[in-house]
Each structure stands twice: as structure tokens, then as C-alpha cells.
Amino acid sequence: MPLYHSFQLLFRQSRHVSTLKFFACSLALFTLAGCGQPEQAQVAAPAPAVSVYAVSNVEVGQYKEFVARTEASKEANLRARVEGELIERHFREGMKVEKGQLLLQIDPAAYEASLTQAKADLNSKLSAQGNAIRNLKRADELIDQGYISQSDYDRLTTEKSQAMAGVNAAEAALEKAELNLSYTKIHAPFSGAIGKVNYDIGNFVGPNSEPLATLIVTDPIYVNFQVEESDYITHLQKHHKVRDPKNVPIDITLRLPNNTNYPEQGLLNFADTKIDQGMGTVELRAVFANPEKVILPGLFVNLIVEGRVKQSLALIPQAAVQENQQGKFVLVLDENNTVSQRHVVLGRRMNAMWIVNSGLNEGEKVVVEGLQKVRSGSKVNPVEKTIDPTTGTISDIQAN
């Protein structure tokens, strides 16, 4: 029946029904009229896109990290050994100098005069010694003939001994004068880099003065660190047959204050012979080649000791790691791109990456971007990315 005629019929009958019934019937008719129209299908929301990283494995050994401090492998404080005015400097501060190079000059005038006097005194003593020897020689001839008394002979013998002692003293004075004069010239005891000069030309210096300058060698460079006594005893028990510290099967590396890894490997070259009773530690020292002079003495660095017996463990970026009350976890994708939450046990940190001691396997994919879009059970549209292991920068995979 057409909708218009239905309304007419309803209107005629509306005199005998209440207004409420009228509107109820009208609503029913509209509903029936619409029953013949097909329902529109609901469109499902697309799966959110997230960036994922395919877990890779690396070979790592037992690991320990120590706060350490760098030290020059050679260091000499250049001091004045005689008093005088500083009159010359033959180097530039901060530059390399060679062994034996003249560095500083103290006014030698007074020491040259002392040397001249010592030479004259020695000549005088030598002359007196010669005279005493000749007198005793004549006395040796005369005493047998009775021409001199025994007391005179003894006196001449004593004079000879005194003259010889005077010569020895004069020779020692001359040697001292020569040394003092040589001390007015300060030479480099070894090749190295020389630092700031603490006294200007014209200053009066002497043995009680502060060091004039400091000469150091930084290639190789020493790195000193302390090990807990319990760890050190364990180390000795494992490697007690290794006599030379250089042969201990460990790898030693450095992380510098700017959080970069130093490229050179170190060697253990010294272990103290006693435990520090106050700290309960033992002092150890590693040595590193430093040809580019990147490492300066006095730096605080992180020294990393790793065993050479390796195991394969997962490596993941820091961006993938989250934390809740149960600990650290990551979001992992299965073969159907469904997200699940998985707790992991983390090991050492390597720049922008974490070693995973347990909880992940090589090849599994973890979410690194879009973490806020998903939760356990969500389906996602994964986009695989690469990670710079040093900076943690996330990038698209370049097509071949």
C-alpha cells in the first residue's frame, strides 16, 4: 500500500484513538517502510603502522666495568737544583721535546766563578802535595844516616798525608763546582710533551721552588683501577698459572668521557702486591697505545674487562626497552604480526644497544617506534628499520 494512503486511513481512524497511539502507529509505519532498505557494512580500522627491529646476536664474554683514571706512563717534574735567576727558555709550552734537549737556563755567572776558584784551589793543593812528597823523599835518604830526627821524619810524613787529603778535597770541590755549573742548564731527561712553565724569565728559582715545568709521556698511557678483593681472589684462582699479566685471557677496552669507545685494546701490566685495608681493593693498571694523544692524563674513564670465552646473545636498541613493576620488557611480533609483551633480562650496555641475557632470540622482531599505539594482542603493520648501534638513530632499510 502506498505510504500516502496509509496516512489517510490512519487519519480517519485517529478520532477514536488517543494521540499517543497515533504517534506510535506512525512510528511503526516508518519503521516498516524502512525495512526493505539494505544495511550499510561497517568498515574495520586499519592496523597501526609501527617500526620494528630484527634482533641480531653478538658474541660477548663475561663482563665487568670499572671506573678508572688515566696516568702518564712517564712523568718528571723539572726542578732547579741550584739557586739563581732564570734567564733562558728553549721550548714552547705544550710541545714535544727530545731527550737531552736544553730546556731552561739559570744564570751561570756565580757557578762559573766557583769553578774557577775550585780549579785554582786544586792547583794549590797539588803544588803543596808535590812539595810534601819531595820533602819526605829527601827525609827517607837522611834518616838512615842520622841527619834528621824521627820526630822530624814523622812530621814530614804527616805533611805528605795532609797534602794528599787536601788534593782529594780540592778535587771533590772542583767536581761539585762543575756539577753546580751543569745544573744551571736543565735538559730533557727523556722525549715527551712539556707543559706549562711555572716561572717566567727573570724569576729567582732554587731547590725549594715549585717545579719549573712537567715533562710527560702519554704514548703509551696508563689506566689505573681498583678491583674488589673477592673478585681479585677469584681471578687469581682461575689464572694462578699465568705468570705474566699480559697473558691473562681477557680483553680490555675503554669508554671515554664523551661516551665513545676507544679503538685500541689494552693490556694488564701491573697488579699491586697487597690489599688496601681501608678500601678492601687491590690496585691494577692497564696500558694502552695512544699514538694520536687522544687520552690525556687525569681523565676519568670506564674500563671494560671482558673474557675471551664468548657466548652468542641478543642485541637490541634502547628504544625498544620499556619498564613496569615487573621489570624491563619489550613488545614482540609473532608470525601473524600480533604484539605480545615479553620481559627480558638485560646485560651490559653497548653504546645505544643492550645485551639481552635471556628473553629474546635472534631474528625476532621488537617494536622500536609507535609503542604508544599498540598493546598486547594488537595486530600491527610492521615496517622494518635499522639502528645505528652507536647513536641509536633509527633509519629505513636501504633497498639493494
Side-chain angles (χ1 to χ4, degrees):
M1 180 183 294
L3 188 60
Y4 173 75
H5 292 297
S6 299
F7 269 107
Q8 282 186 329
L9 180 60
L10 267 173
F11 183 75
R12 292 191 192 100
Q13 295 174 350
S14 65
R15 302 175 196 174
H16 308 291
V17 296
S18 65
T19 303
L20 182 60
K21 290 182 179 179
F22 171 76
F23 281 109
C25 292
S26 300
L27 181 60
L29 283 174
F30 275 113
T31 303
L32 290 172
C35 287
Q37 298 179 0
E39 295 183 0
Q40 293 184 352
Q42 294 184 352
V43 179
V50 295
S51 299
V52 299
Y53 174 78
V55 176
S56 59
N57 276 20
V58 292
E59 297 294 320
V60 294
Q62 287 188 335
Y63 164 88
K64 194 81 172 178
E65 189 166 327
F66 303 90
V67 176
R69 190 147 196 180
T70 59
E71 177 189 10
S73 54
K74 286 185 179 180
E75 181 172 339
N77 289 323
L78 305 178
R79 293 182 177 272
R81 302 178 71 174
V82 293
E83 292 183 341
E85 180 185 350
L86 198 61
I87 61 172
E88 292 179 10
R89 189 179 80 190
H90 298 277
F91 64 91
R92 290 172 55 194
E93 294 169 306
M95 300 300 291
K96 182 179 179 181
V97 297
E98 300 299 328
K99 180 178 179 180
Q101 179 179 334
L102 177 62
L103 303 177
L104 297 162
Q105 172 80 57
I106 295 172
D107 187 359
Y111 301 98
E112 290 173 343
S114 295
L115 178 61
T116 301
Q117 181 179 350
K119 288 179 178 179
D121 187 52
L122 176 60
N123 289 333
S124 175
K125 293 294 192 294
L126 287 172
S127 177
Q129 176 184 256
N131 187 51
I133 291 172
R134 287 191 296 273
N135 289 339
L136 184 59
K137 185 177 180 181
R138 285 194 294 267
D140 286 338
E141 298 174 354
L142 296 174
I143 194 170
D144 292 336
Q145 301 173 13
Y147 291 113
I148 63 172
S149 66
Q150 184 65 43
S151 61
D152 288 338
Y153 183 82
D154 291 342
R155 177 179 55 78
L156 293 174
T157 302
T158 301
E159 289 177 355
K160 176 190 174 183
S161 298
Q162 291 175 340
M164 294 179 67
V167 169
N168 290 337
E171 288 175 340
L174 176 62
E175 185 176 352
K176 184 178 180 180
E178 289 173 339
L179 277 175
N180 286 339
L181 180 59
S182 71
Y183 290 156
T184 62
K185 293 183 178 181
I186 300 171
H187 298 82
F190 50 79
S191 298
I194 194 162
K196 178 183 177 182
V197 178
N198 296 320
Y199 295 91
D200 293 327
I201 300 301
N203 287 159
F204 187 86
V205 296
N208 295 324
S209 302
E210 293 296 318
L212 307 180
T214 301
L215 181 66
I216 61 172
V217 171
T218 58
D219 183 24
I221 192 85
Y222 287 158
V223 181
N224 298 312
F225 62 106
Q226 288 80 38
V227 175
E228 295 290 337
E229 55 188 358
S230 57
D231 292 336
Y232 187 62
I233 294 300
T234 301
H235 165 78
L236 292 179
Q237 289 171 335
K238 286 183 178 179
H239 307 295
H240 66 279
K241 294 183 179 180
V242 181
R243 301 301 179 188
D244 189 343
K246 296 178 182 179
N247 297 328
V248 176
I250 55 175
D251 292 322
I252 303 177
T253 55
L254 284 183
R255 187 165 63 248
L256 300 178
N258 62 355
N259 208 33
T260 60
N261 289 335
Y262 186 61
E264 300 286 345
Q265 288 280 327
L267 292 174
L268 189 66
N269 80 330
F270 168 77
D272 206 346
T273 56
K274 63 183 183 301
I275 302 294
D276 186 317
Q277 295 181 4
M279 300 296 294
T281 59
V282 62
E283 180 88 11
L284 275 76
R285 184 175 68 205
V287 59
F288 288 80
N290 189 28
E292 303 299 325
K293 309 298 188 295
V294 172
I295 304 177
L296 300 177
L299 283 179
F300 279 107
V301 294
N302 290 87
L303 184 136
I304 300 163
V305 178
E306 184 176 350
R308 290 179 184 164
V309 178
K310 309 291 185 181
Q311 62 180 131
S312 183
L313 294 175
L315 184 71
I316 61 171
Q318 294 182 41
V321 180
Q322 301 182 77
E323 188 172 8
N324 58 19
Q325 292 181 344
Q326 286 74 43
K328 301 285 195 307
F329 69 90
V330 294
L331 297 179
V332 185
L333 270 60
D334 63 13
E335 62 275 8
N336 298 318
N337 294 332
T338 301
V339 175
S340 63
Q341 178 180 295
R342 190 183 302 173
H343 282 89
V344 292
V345 178
L346 299 180
R348 62 182 283 196
R349 177 179 167 181
M350 299 176 66
N351 294 320
M353 310 294 280
W354 281 105
I355 295 292
V356 181
N357 289 339
S358 64
L360 277 177
N361 296 315
E362 186 173 17
E364 291 188 296
K365 295 180 180 179
V366 295
V367 180
V368 294
E369 284 184 323
L371 298 167
Q372 70 281 0
K373 301 178 185 178
V374 297
R375 62 180 184 273
S376 291
S378 301
K379 278 190 172 291
V380 296
N381 179 24
V383 180
E384 192 166 338
K385 301 281 187 173
T386 61
I387 306 287
D388 186 311
T390 302
T391 64
T393 303
I394 302 173
S395 307
D396 294 328
I397 295 178
Q398 301 294 327
N400 292 329

